[in-house]
Amino acid sequence: MNSMKKVLVTGGAGFIGSHTVVELVAAGFEPIIIDNLCNSDISMLDGIEAITEKNIPFFNIDCTDLDAMMDLFQHHGPFLGVIHFAAFKAVGESVAKPLAYYHNNINSTRVVLECMAHFGVKNLVFSSSCTVYGQPKENPVSEKTAWMSASSPYGYTKQVCERMIADTSLGSNLSSVLLRYFNPIGAHPSGLIGELPLGVPENLIPYITQTAAGLRSHLTIFGSDYNTPDGTCIRDYIHVVDLAKAHVAALSWLEKQSPICEVFNLGSGNGNSVKEVIDTFQEVNNMPVNVVAGARRPGDVEQIFASADKAKEILNWGCELTLADALKDAWTWQLKLQE
Ligand code: UFG
């Protein structure tokens, strides 16, 4: 058993990062958060500390800043591993601001890898996305499914970072897991942490909850003429708490491996349409959502859902929570935000 339990969590004040910090603490790890708060809020730390009843070290650092990162590794290590979330993540925004995405997502990963190599930190869990697959020819997609061209600069940065990590793993002491998330949704059941979309939400679930709460007049369904049973796009929605637990499983697995670079899909294995998600939300929360049919959104793939068998087999991880659980927890979080 390795007595070193410190884990550096970049982007740890963000949506998935904050939930992962909670699960790390529950599993006996000692997370240290760095975040430059460009797309998150310091208040998330209060939520984390209320749930875990622990003070979590936090540093406001930009991961692209090599000197600041070296300094952190020097003074707050040694780390058992790094979980690297810090990145921009909006598909549409990446089309409008490609250079910001290339700078932030690629340089932060390069700096993390340089610091890990310099200080001999072995284990890396990387936050990737099913966006690396583009529009797959067949569903479900497995880790062996060939990548199509990325549909956005955001997707391309995830492809590049995965490649950069795989290349670095070759012939080095690095052990890495690349986690390809499908659609993370929901919030912690306590209602103490959740997603904080800035401005008008881009993603479906925060748009639904804000519409139900009366903050938006209506939700537009982006396209009802797709080649799917009800004409709307299909995605694989995964509860953020299940997703967070997968990071702990991945890190615990990495601890026992010789240098390796392994990739896992993280999804429920179920495909749900936009209409099914809206119907489920209305049903489980008994809240109406005003919906209008709109045009397709540029860049959307028609359907994608995961085969998550590999994560089950190797990491012994699978989803325990349902779409209904996630939509209930997302609504609890929305109500909490308005208190
Ligand atoms: N949608 C609507 N109306 C809205 C918002 C979304 O109909 O107001 C639809 C979209 O068209 C899509 C589905 O809801 O069919 C899900 O859209 P999201 O924006 O919630 O999620 P995406 O599937 O577009 O994006 C997510 C992550 C990305 C990741 C991508 C990979 O947010 O980070 O999956 O497919 F890259």
Side-chain angles (χ1 to χ4, degrees), residues 32-113:
I32 290 173
I33 297 177
I34 58 172
D35 202 305
N36 69 356
L37 302 176
C38 73
N39 197 17
S40 54
D41 196 273
I42 192 75
S43 62
M44 208 53 72
L45 292 184
D46 298 334
I48 295 172
E49 294 186 353
I51 298 168
T52 60
E53 298 180 343
K54 287 240 160 39
N55 288 320
I56 312 292
F58 166 78
F59 300 92
N60 186 332
I61 289 178
D62 183 330
C63 283
T64 64
D65 182 342
L66 180 65
D67 292 341
M69 289 288 282
M70 284 284 189
D71 192 64
L72 179 98
F73 273 72
Q74 171 88 49
H75 293 104
H76 300 281
F79 301 122
L80 165 69
V82 179
I83 305 186
H84 179 40
F85 291 105
F88 292 150
K89 60 171 185 178
V91 173
E93 185 188 58
S94 78
V95 176
K97 301 180 189 166
L99 292 182
Y101 274 68
Y102 289 121
H103 166 71
N104 191 46
N105 293 6
I106 294 177
N107 284 322
S108 65
T109 304
R110 179 181 58 79
V111 165
V112 165
L113 288 169

Side-chain angles (χ1 to χ4, degrees), residues 89 91 129-131 154 182-183 202-205 207 219-222 233 235 237 274 297 300 304:
K89 60 171 185 178
V91 173
S129 162
C130 68
T131 194
Y154 163 73
F182 282 67
N183 285 50
E202 293 224 10
N203 295 120
L204 180 61
I205 288 15
Y207 215 106
L219 166 77
T220 304
I221 296 184
F222 296 143
C233 287
R235 296 286 183 275
Y237 295 91
V274 174
R297 181 172 71 174
D300 268 346
I304 184 164

Side-chain angles (χ1 to χ4, degrees), residues 48-306:
I48 295 172
E49 294 186 353
I51 298 168
T52 60
E53 298 180 343
K54 287 240 160 39
N55 288 320
I56 312 292
F58 166 78
F59 300 92
N60 186 332
I61 289 178
D62 183 330
C63 283
T64 64
D65 182 342
L66 180 65
D67 292 341
M69 289 288 282
M70 284 284 189
D71 192 64
L72 179 98
F73 273 72
Q74 171 88 49
H75 293 104
H76 300 281
F79 301 122
L80 165 69
V82 179
I83 305 186
H84 179 40
F85 291 105
F88 292 150
K89 60 171 185 178
V91 173
E93 185 188 58
S94 78
V95 176
K97 301 180 189 166
L99 292 182
Y101 274 68
Y102 289 121
H103 166 71
N104 191 46
N105 293 6
I106 294 177
N107 284 322
S108 65
T109 304
R110 179 181 58 79
V111 165
V112 165
L113 288 169
E114 281 189 28
C115 292
M116 290 180 72
H118 188 83
F119 289 95
V121 178
K122 179 182 156 272
N123 302 307
L124 173 64
V125 178
F126 177 66
S127 173
S128 188
S129 162
C130 68
T131 194
V132 297
Y133 295 113
Q135 171 61 72
K137 291 210 175 86
E138 280 179 5
N139 277 296
V141 293
S142 83
E143 293 79 357
K144 291 197 177 111
T145 299
W147 288 358
M148 308 305 281
S149 68
S151 66
S152 68
Y154 163 73
Y156 190 56
T157 65
K158 289 296 176 190
Q159 291 183 339
V160 171
C161 288
E162 280 206 15
R163 177 69 192 265
M164 194 168 25
I165 294 166
D167 287 346
T168 308
S169 291
L170 279 178
S172 83
N173 200 33
L174 182 70
S175 266
S176 53
V177 159
L178 312 172
L179 298 179
R180 294 182 184 153
Y181 314 150
F182 282 67
N183 285 50
I185 60 165
H188 197 269
S190 63
L192 291 166
I193 54 173
E195 196 170 2
L196 281 177
L198 294 178
V200 181
E202 293 224 10
N203 295 120
L204 180 61
I205 288 15
Y207 215 106
I208 291 177
T209 58
Q210 291 195 8
T211 307
L215 301 174
R216 312 264 159 221
S217 63
H218 61 272
L219 166 77
T220 304
I221 296 184
F222 296 143
S224 306
D225 57 350
Y226 284 99
N227 186 23
T228 58
D230 66 17
T232 65
C233 287
I234 290 177
R235 296 286 183 275
D236 184 335
Y237 295 91
I238 169 173
H239 196 298
V240 65
V241 170
D242 278 333
L243 187 62
K245 288 181 177 166
H247 293 75
V248 177
L251 185 64
S252 306
W253 178 78
L254 270 182
E255 268 190 280
K256 296 179 223 123
Q257 308 304 310
S258 307
I260 194 169
C261 177
E262 204 62 73
V263 50
F264 295 98
N265 282 344
L266 297 181
S268 68
N270 302 315
N272 286 105
S273 72
V274 174
K275 276 192 182 148
E276 283 172 341
V277 172
I278 298 167
D279 289 347
T280 309
F281 177 88
Q282 297 188 122
E283 204 179 297
V284 298
N285 295 310
N286 202 18
M287 285 300 300
V289 180
N290 188 16
V291 172
V292 301
R296 292 182 178 197
R297 181 172 71 174
D300 268 346
V301 300
E302 181 173 281
Q303 51 180 310
I304 184 164
F305 53 97

